[in-house]
């Protein structure tokens, strides 16, 4: 999607990120344009090779049976983020205005990081419950931003955006249907809550907002067990290419 936008001459004035979108967004905010797009693609290859979410199976088993709150620690993710952004990098140092969101445990509310240490904010925004422990910043603990605001349309409008491009992972393109398996019930329940906030935000957009929901080209079927295979990154290149083609077609049709 980012490659298609860049080739269409579309440059961001503001980048908002949630969860892994915060990580992706920080790279583009730091290096807008083709250089950042290429860098991000290289980083995802590195992430796949590093097996960030694999870890030691015996260690994960021990954590599960001893009721630890997370299967992984943040050390490997922190290392990769440190490879992208120096440990001293501040959010306000990025070339393009950038903000990311996380879920505050103590306040049960969304929290937007607009300044301060970049790596800590990215770790907080992508701290998926049960997979990673909550991230403590300033005495407050944070989980993944997707719990509270997965597609922050209202935030973009609040900050003055008039043209918004939503880069999403394909889920909103798939029609939901009643679950047939136990694991589907949990996935669909979360998706209903997530989509409800997004569709409500779309319905309440102020007049004159130009909204573009870029197509992923790779819709996720909700009876597909690959949603649970979150460690499998073998389709990364295929997903990137599919999104590029679909988004390019979308933008060309509206040129």
């Amino acid at each position: 999607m980012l490659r298609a936008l860049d080739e269409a001459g579309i440059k961001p004035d503001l980048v908002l990120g949630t969860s892994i979108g915060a990580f992706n967004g920080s790279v583009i905010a730091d290096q807008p344009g083709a250089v950042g797009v290429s860098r991000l693609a290289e980083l995802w290859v590195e992430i796949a090779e590093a097996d960030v979410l694999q870890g030691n199976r015996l260690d994960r088993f021990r954590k599960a049976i001893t009721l630890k709150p997370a299967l992984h620690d943040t050390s490997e993710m922190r290392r990769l983020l440190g490879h992208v952004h120096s440990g001293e990098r501040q959010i306000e140092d990025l070339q393009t205005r950038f903000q990311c969101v996380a879920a505050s445990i103590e306040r049960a509310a969304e929290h937007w990081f607009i300044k301060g240490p970049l790596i800590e904010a990215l770790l907080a925004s992508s701290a998926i419950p049960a997979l990673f422990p909550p991230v403590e910043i300033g005495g407050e603990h944070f989980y993944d931003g997707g719990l509270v605001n997965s597609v922050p349309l209202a935030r973009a409008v609040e900050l003055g955006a008039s043209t918004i491009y939503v880069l999403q992972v394909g889920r909103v393109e798939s029609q939901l249907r009643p679950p047939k398996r136990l694991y589907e019930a949990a996935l669909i329940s979360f998706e209903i809550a997530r989509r409800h906030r997004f569709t409500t935000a779309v319905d309440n957009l102020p007049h004159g907002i130009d909204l573009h929901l870029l197509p992923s080209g790779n819709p996720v079927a909700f009876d597909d067990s690959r949603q649970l295979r979150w460690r499998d990154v073998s389709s990364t290149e295929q997903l990137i290419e599919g999104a590029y083609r679909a988004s390019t077609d979308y933008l060309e049709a509206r040129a």
Side-chain angles (χ1 to χ4, degrees):
M1 293 177 185
L2 289 165
R3 179 182 168 194
L5 287 170
D6 181 66
E7 291 180 357
I10 299 168
K11 307 293 183 184
D13 300 307
L14 168 69
V15 177
L16 301 179
T18 301
S19 192
I20 201 62
F23 167 69
N24 291 341
S26 72
V27 175
I28 295 302
D30 195 33
Q31 294 180 302
V35 172
V37 173
S38 297
R39 176 58 175 148
L40 191 56
E42 293 170 359
L43 287 171
W44 274 107
V45 171
E46 181 179 346
I47 288 171
E49 292 176 347
D51 288 335
V52 173
L53 296 179
Q54 292 288 351
N56 181 284
R57 291 187 178 183
L58 178 58
D59 184 54
R60 292 203 308 271
F61 176 73
R62 286 172 177 165
K63 289 178 179 178
I65 63 175
T66 56
L67 302 180
K68 296 292 184 181
L71 295 179
H72 306 275
D73 60 35
T74 58
S75 59
E76 187 66 16
M77 185 67 78
R78 186 182 292 276
R79 186 192 68 80
L80 283 170
L81 287 172
H83 180 63
V84 181
H85 304 294
S86 71
E88 301 299 322
R89 203 71 189 278
Q90 304 291 298
I91 293 174
E92 53 266 40
D93 293 336
L94 301 178
Q95 291 189 46
T96 303
R97 188 181 181 191
F98 172 79
Q99 298 183 8
C100 65
V101 66
S104 167
I105 293 178
E106 285 84 357
R107 293 183 291 111
E110 65 184 70
H111 175 87
W112 283 92
F113 292 95
I114 62 175
K115 62 182 180 179
L118 177 60
I119 290 180
E120 295 304 312
L122 297 178
L123 287 172
S125 186
S126 55
I128 303 171
L131 299 187
F132 295 108
V135 174
E136 181 178 358
I137 301 176
E140 193 169 2
H141 298 81
F142 298 96
Y143 265 144
D144 192 286
L147 294 172
V148 288
N149 203 339
S150 61
V151 186
L153 290 181
R155 182 69 174 183
V157 173
E158 177 186 337
L159 295 174
S162 57
T163 302
I164 302 172
Y165 293 90
V166 176
L167 284 66
Q168 49 88 37
V169 296
R171 288 178 179 153
V172 298
E173 299 167 340
S174 297
Q175 184 175 356
L176 297 178
R177 54 178 179 244
K180 296 180 179 179
R181 301 176 179 88
L182 183 61
Y183 75 83
E184 290 181 329
L187 292 172
I188 291 172
S189 296
F190 176 76
E191 189 65 16
I192 289 172
R194 193 180 73 89
R195 289 197 196 186
H196 174 69
R197 173 156 187 172
F198 172 63
T199 55
T200 300
V202 172
D203 291 341
N204 289 281
L205 281 177
H207 179 71
I209 299 294
D210 188 16
L211 175 65
H212 299 271
L213 181 66
L214 295 185
S216 72
N218 301 282
V220 178
F222 270 81
D223 62 348
D224 187 346
S225 63
R226 80 173 173 179
Q227 291 180 88
L228 297 181
R229 290 185 277 114
W230 41 267
R231 294 189 299 268
D232 183 4
V233 292
S234 60
S235 300
T236 296
E237 293 185 14
Q238 175 187 347
L239 295 171
I240 290 174
E241 186 61 29
Y244 169 68
R245 290 195 305 267
S247 293
T248 296
D249 291 344
Y250 172 89
L251 293 171
E252 288 179 348
R254 286 154 179 77

